[in-house]
Amino acid sequence: MEFKLTINEKVKLSEYGYNILQIETIAKCNMACSFCPYPLKDDKESILAVDEIKRIINQIDTDDKEFKYVTFSQFNEPLLDHRIFDLIDYTQKCGLKVLLITNGLLLKKPRILEGILRLKPDIKISLQILDENKHKDGRGVKVNLDDYLNIIVGFCKEVKNQPINVTIDIGSNFNDTKVKLYLKKILGLATGDPSIPTDIVTTIRKFRIYMRNFYDISDNEYKDKLFPLCQTEGVQNFFSTSYLNQEGFKLYKNVTLKIKSFHYGRNLTDFRPRNKKFSCNTAILGVLSDGNIVPCCLSYDDSISLGTSYNKSLKNILDGNEFLKNLRDVNGEKHLTCRKCMGEPTHRGVFLKNLFSNLPFVVKNSQFVKLFKS
């Protein structure tokens, strides 16, 4: 039976450790990326009703100063949903910021461009793989990399210096040196996703092949900083491994290229589970297209559902939720899915991770351990 709110139950998501809400309005995507759990999903057809989406949005307390934004994606492509701009419009009118996360394939369509120019949401484009040999298999599409880049470059020209913040993400594994890379492999620890380069130097070298596409359209005031990406080595120093602290490279005052450290999303199924002695500080609450409320941006089914939006308010779901309390508590019981997510690709890696987590606090924070980790 569908649950109807009888009172206006506002919720401050930051009180539960969340500052981003991801609402998957539809289950469908037009890519099947090798690094994404989407191809593993059984449900690729469900659609979250407009009234239900609005009911969820209405519950978010706009006075929550730590809350950042709403997105309309989890593992879907939001621009496939013909209702997307009505939903963005409604959310903005409710006083909430919207970030539109897209793979960019549909950005050349006039209807979509018009909607973006009208509503001006912040936009993040997941460009990710810059290797023609890996692009089609890695993204699960028939479109070649040059044509895909032309769509994104064309969109950048259309929104040039508009009041729309656009970020273009390029994927990279941040293994600083070959020594660190092979040490991780020997220890059985995760080294990143196989679809993208193992280190930032290789990433930039591959990026250089396509950099002219962006350099030629950029404003003159940014060309001097962009030029090293086209010509020389050593520019990896411009990129911080902390995505949030990374300045990136501007094409225009509103369009920025960033290199993003990749998190292998399929560790939910592929990794070996570690023990329960960890806490998770996930800050993204997800709503799947079937109405399940999930505790993080990696959950693609109801296996770790906190509850269903059709039956309860967000506040009722989050208040005193045992799963969430255990997730935040270093000694709390953890679901197998979360233990795999926090695990490693091999038994050897899991053993070392468990061993480290059981070390006394003083030892874990000693200069020797910090030196070894660095």
Side-chain angles (χ1 to χ4, degrees), residues 25 106 122 125 277:
T25 65
L106 299 175
D122 285 356
I125 303 172
K277 200 173 178 61

Side-chain angles (χ1 to χ4, degrees), residues 175-186:
N175 300 299
D176 298 341
T177 65
K178 289 191 181 299
V179 172
K180 285 187 180 180
L181 174 63
Y182 289 113
L183 182 61
K184 285 181 181 179
K185 289 183 176 182
I186 291 168

Side-chain angles (χ1 to χ4, degrees), residues 69 97 99-104 107 121-128 148 152 155-156 159 162 164-171 214 239 243-244 246-260:
Y69 54 79
K97 183 178 177 180
L99 173 65
L100 178 62
I101 302 174
T102 174
N103 58 41
L107 289 175
D122 285 356
I123 296 174
K124 182 179 286 189
I125 303 172
S126 297
L127 174 56
Q128 310 304 6
Y148 178 41
I152 294 172
F155 174 76
C156 290
V159 299
Q162 293 281 336
I164 304 170
N165 292 318
V166 179
T167 303
I168 303 169
D169 283 348
I170 300 156
F214 297 104
F239 292 98
Y243 178 79
L244 295 177
Q246 189 183 123
E247 181 182 346
F249 287 77
K250 287 191 175 296
L251 304 181
Y252 313 117
K253 66 181 180 181
N254 66 316
V255 180
T256 306
L257 294 164
K258 281 192 172 187
I259 290 186
K260 186 174 185 179

Side-chain angles (χ1 to χ4, degrees), residues 9-108:
E9 291 191 67
K10 295 288 185 180
V11 59
K12 284 190 174 181
L13 288 181
S14 64
E15 292 180 353
Y16 306 90
Y18 292 109
N19 56 28
I20 296 168
L21 178 65
Q22 293 195 166
I23 304 175
E24 186 181 74
T25 65
I26 59 173
K28 187 178 294 186
C29 187
N30 52 358
M31 284 189 171
C33 301
S34 62
F35 50 80
C36 176
Y38 174 78
L40 307 177
K41 289 181 62 173
D42 292 326
D43 177 16
K44 295 183 175 68
E45 301 297 330
S46 63
I47 299 173
L48 196 60
V50 169
D51 289 346
E52 183 64 12
I53 296 169
K54 290 181 177 180
R55 193 179 73 84
I56 293 167
I57 291 167
N58 289 340
Q59 294 174 64
I60 306 304
D61 191 338
T62 55
D63 291 329
D64 187 350
K65 302 303 182 185
E66 294 182 41
F67 184 77
K68 292 182 178 179
Y69 54 79
V70 175
T71 75
F72 292 105
S73 54
Q74 182 82 349
F75 296 103
N76 59 311
E77 169 51 55
L79 293 179
L80 287 173
D81 191 342
H82 69 277
R83 311 166 301 169
I84 190 63
F85 292 113
D86 290 337
L87 294 171
I88 292 173
D89 186 38
Y90 182 84
T91 306
Q92 290 176 336
K93 285 176 178 175
C94 286
L96 295 167
K97 183 178 177 180
V98 174
L99 173 65
L100 178 62
I101 302 174
T102 174
N103 58 41
L105 271 179
L106 299 175
L107 289 175
K108 65 180 179 180

